[in-house]
Amino acid sequence: MSGKSRRDFLKSTALIGAGVTGLSATAKASPKNILSEDRMGVLVDTTVCVGCRNCEWACKGAHDLLAGNLESYEDRKILETKRRPDHTALTVVNEYSPGKNSNLPIDVKVQCMHCDNPACVSACIVGAFSKHENGSVTWDTDMCIGCRYCMAACPFQVPAFEYDKALNPKIMKCDFCFDRTKEGKLPACVSICPVEALTYGSRTELVKIARDRIKKNPDRYVDHIFGEYEVGGTSWMYLANKDFAELDFPNLGKNPAPGVSESIQHGIFAYFVPPVSLYALLGGIMWISKRRKELDEEVK
């Protein structure tokens, strides 16, 4: 990173990300589960974030969600309550008490972690979820049957469901700004961050940056990059000056979550019908139920 400005780094990495995305954007309808060495990621430095919530506003705008005025996000009262991403906000910021060697609160952005081995991809019985070459985990609304297995499987409890929609409700979660990055743009949240708390780049490079920051500033950070190894690694990674458990990060092992769920499934179905057949049957039943409900709503 020496000799390079952050802007230069972001510009070049965005173009690399666009190139990687472009390689995998041609078959959106075909589910994928690719773990590329060149996958992209975001490093979140919570010691830099000031909790302005501009990222929340930009995310909503990028995904056609009701965003309101940017000025309204200056109201910090909302930070008094811990929130989770839902169908109205694909990312949220929560605030915590100060960590070591600081008297400033810690603000933590929460969104899909885009796991290297996504449990949602493994759990989806119709292949609606994909792990792309650029690191993003997306879903195909047209394929989704609304079973919500992805919600149960996610170790970070991120996917949300539009329960308030009677007709064609969708699974909602951060898609790593897939449409923006394949055009060479930065994710909306990264682009708007005024304090450079979010760094977009190749995951390999981001790990090096994170390790370097910890090495040079041992009094500022705990010696832990959350997401480097958790559940096999994630595209989004965090630095902090406080134990991550105190910031409501789940205590997860290094084994990918799909491995655990698949082992359970294999154990359950070992002496019954093959899982693929059962999944196909369940998927068919749920698709018919969903379609019947849509037709009923159309008649009304």
Side-chain angles (χ1 to χ4, degrees):
M1 287 298 291
S2 60
K4 264 188 174 181
S5 70
R6 181 178 181 275
R7 291 297 174 193
D8 290 339
F9 175 72
L10 291 175
K11 185 178 179 180
S12 59
T13 51
L15 291 173
I16 294 171
V20 173
T21 305
L23 293 175
S24 59
T26 55
K28 184 179 179 181
S30 177
K32 301 177 179 180
N33 196 357
I34 303 170
L35 188 59
S36 170
E37 292 185 358
D38 299 323
R39 63 193 181 280
M40 308 300 281
V42 170
L43 177 64
V44 184
D45 192 334
T46 64
T47 70
V48 176
C49 180
V50 295
C52 68
R53 299 173 55 225
N54 284 9
C55 54
E56 293 186 24
W57 179 81
C59 175
K60 289 181 179 180
H63 294 88
D64 298 324
L65 297 173
L66 185 63
N69 297 322
L70 181 58
E71 292 74 18
S72 65
Y73 289 71
E74 295 175 2
D75 182 1
R76 300 185 69 86
K77 288 183 180 178
I78 197 170
L79 295 174
E80 295 174 1
T81 303
K82 298 295 182 291
R83 299 174 295 151
R84 296 289 304 169
D86 60 22
H87 63 288
T88 66
L90 308 185
T91 184
V92 297
V93 176
N94 289 324
E95 193 164 82
Y96 299 84
S97 59
K100 66 176 184 178
N101 301 322
S102 175
N103 57 1
L104 299 174
I106 303 171
D107 295 289
V108 179
K109 181 180 181 300
V110 183
Q111 74 295 303
C112 173
M113 297 289 285
H114 297 275
C115 301
D116 287 346
N117 300 278
C120 54
V121 174
S122 176
C124 184
I125 61 177
V126 294
F129 275 79
S130 290
K131 172 72 174 179
H132 294 274
E133 193 169 358
N134 73 336
S136 62
V137 176
T138 68
W139 72 105
D140 187 332
T141 297
D142 294 335
M143 295 181 67
C144 179
I145 58 173
C147 68
R148 286 162 280 166
Y149 285 3
C150 55
M151 296 173 65
C154 177
F156 299 100
Q157 301 180 347
V158 165
F161 189 69
E162 294 179 312
Y163 287 103
D164 59 328
K165 283 190 176 180
L167 186 61
N168 197 27
K170 299 175 183 175
I171 288 292
M172 301 288 285
K173 76 169 197 69
C174 163
D175 62 355
F176 213 164
C177 279
F178 188 80
D179 289 337
R180 285 177 57 91
T181 55
K182 72 182 180 183
E183 295 176 352
K185 298 178 182 176
L186 294 170
C189 56
V190 176
S191 180
I192 200 172
C193 183
V195 293
E196 302 181 353
L198 309 177
T199 304
Y200 178 71
S202 77
R203 187 181 185 279
T204 301
E205 185 68 19
L206 293 177
V207 170
K208 292 178 182 177
I209 293 172
R211 288 176 179 170
D212 187 57
R213 288 187 188 180
I214 293 174
K215 182 179 180 181
K216 291 181 177 176
N217 304 280
D219 295 332
R220 178 167 184 162
Y221 300 104
V222 295
D223 188 10
H224 183 182
I225 306 169
F226 190 93
E228 181 178 10
Y229 297 116
E230 277 78 7
V231 289
T234 59
S235 287
W236 281 70
M237 296 172 287
Y238 288 77
L239 290 175
N241 59 4
K242 193 173 190 176
D243 190 286
F244 284 99
E246 298 181 61
L247 301 175
D248 290 337
F249 282 79
N251 183 17
L252 302 169
K254 295 182 179 180
N255 292 329
V260 177
S261 60
E262 287 172 2
S263 297
I264 294 173
Q265 291 171 11
H266 293 168
I268 292 174
F269 293 113
Y271 301 102
F272 296 95
V273 295
V276 172
S277 299
L278 181 60
Y279 282 173
L281 175 62
L282 290 173
I285 293 172
M286 297 191 73
W287 185 87
I288 292 171
S289 299
K290 179 184 177 186
R291 183 58 184 154
R292 181 174 297 168
K293 189 175 182 180
E294 291 175 355
L295 291 173
D296 289 343
E297 292 294 333
E298 290 174 3
V299 170
K300 293 178 182 178

